[in-house]
Amino acid sequence: MQETHGLRIPFAWSDRHPVFLGRFLYIPGVYDHHIWKRIPWSDSRFFGNDHPVHIEFCSGNGFWLSEKAKKHPEINWVAVEKRFDRASKAWSLAQREKLDNVFVVCSEAVLFCRYYAPLDSVSEAYVNFPDPWPKRKDAKHRLIRKEFLEILQTILKKGSCVTLATDDRPYADRMIREFFNNPSWKSTFPDPYFICDFPDFGISFFSDLWQRKGLSIHYLQFKLDL
Ligand SMILES: C[S@@+](CC[C@H](N)C(=O)[O-])C[C@H]1O[C@@H](n2cnc3c(N)ncnc32)[C@H](O)[C@@H]1O
């Protein structure tokens, strides 16, 4: 049984299954039974209203998303983070701040989009500082790859954007190539297809860390143009 930041998974690993725990959905990674009806965001297990949904993948401790949720209570914010310790920290922050418009999903991003997230339902997506996995042998671990872009477009509404931030210039270039290889996505920024100054984008644990070290942040944005 796992317990972190006051959140407890109420079964042993051998009995694992997806479970709603208040404003938290736990989806086990190593698990062969992802047969699940895609539950609408308006269902009371998620938000219980039909406000627009913005989603952040790789949300870490949830600081960036909580700040957005405070400024934009008219939007429902979904944090998707695969590590239970970080996801539960994001959940506990939202609980402390009484943010009814925040929902945390502890899941691997592709898995959540493929089996659980409602189709054609998300108005904006964000990926802040996805792990770059610079070595060729680790390429399969990079989130921004063909498979993710194909599955992401199934849950986003037509005309929606995904915005990405990275300190890692080689990964920025790789991400741009991946998006350009998929005709459904168009960069909203002209060549070189990123900007380094994005006023009011917000601060995350990693943006703060890298900016204090003097690193530039590269912001990319692609529109779903089916
Ligand atoms: C460098 S951290 C960035 C955290 C946060 N966005 C920030 O800016 O502070 C990357 C996070 O992405 C999570 N992550 C990596 N691959 C993921 C995936 N495929 N699905 C969901 N989360 C993932 C990691 O567990 C980690 O918490």
Side-chain angles (χ1 to χ4, degrees), residues 56-64 80-87 105-112 126-133 140-145 148 165 167 203-210:
E56 184 196 11
F57 297 98
C58 302
S59 47
N61 65 15
F63 183 78
W64 179 88
V80 180
E81 164 57 49
K82 71 177 178 184
R83 274 182 53 169
F84 179 71
D85 57 339
R86 293 187 180 168
V105 177
C106 180
S107 172
E108 196 284 316
V110 174
L111 189 62
F112 178 62
Y126 299 88
V127 193
N128 291 323
F129 303 93
D131 298 309
W133 294 102
K140 59 184 176 297
H141 298 302
R142 286 181 206 131
L143 177 59
I144 309 308
R145 59 183 195 275
F148 178 63
D167 57 297
I203 297 169
S204 73
F205 178 84
F206 275 87
S207 73
D208 184 46
L209 188 69
W210 300 138

Side-chain angles (χ1 to χ4, degrees), residues 66-126:
S66 289
E67 292 300 302
K68 289 286 175 198
K70 273 186 230 168
K71 282 191 192 132
H72 296 285
E74 75 286 5
I75 291 170
N76 289 329
W77 295 86
V78 179
V80 180
E81 164 57 49
K82 71 177 178 184
R83 274 182 53 169
F84 179 71
D85 57 339
R86 293 187 180 168
S88 55
K89 200 167 180 179
W91 173 85
S92 119
L93 176 60
Q95 295 290 301
R96 259 197 329 273
E97 304 271 357
K98 299 193 176 11
L99 296 170
D100 289 343
N101 57 335
V102 170
F103 194 97
V104 178
V105 177
C106 180
S107 172
E108 196 284 316
V110 174
L111 189 62
F112 178 62
C113 295
R114 171 161 299 136
Y115 297 107
Y116 296 85
L119 299 172
D120 193 19
S121 68
V122 171
S123 302
E124 295 283 334
Y126 299 88

Side-chain angles (χ1 to χ4, degrees), residues 190-202:
D191 194 350
Y193 311 116
F194 63 79
I195 56 172
C196 289
D197 186 24
F198 198 135
D200 298 329
F201 184 74

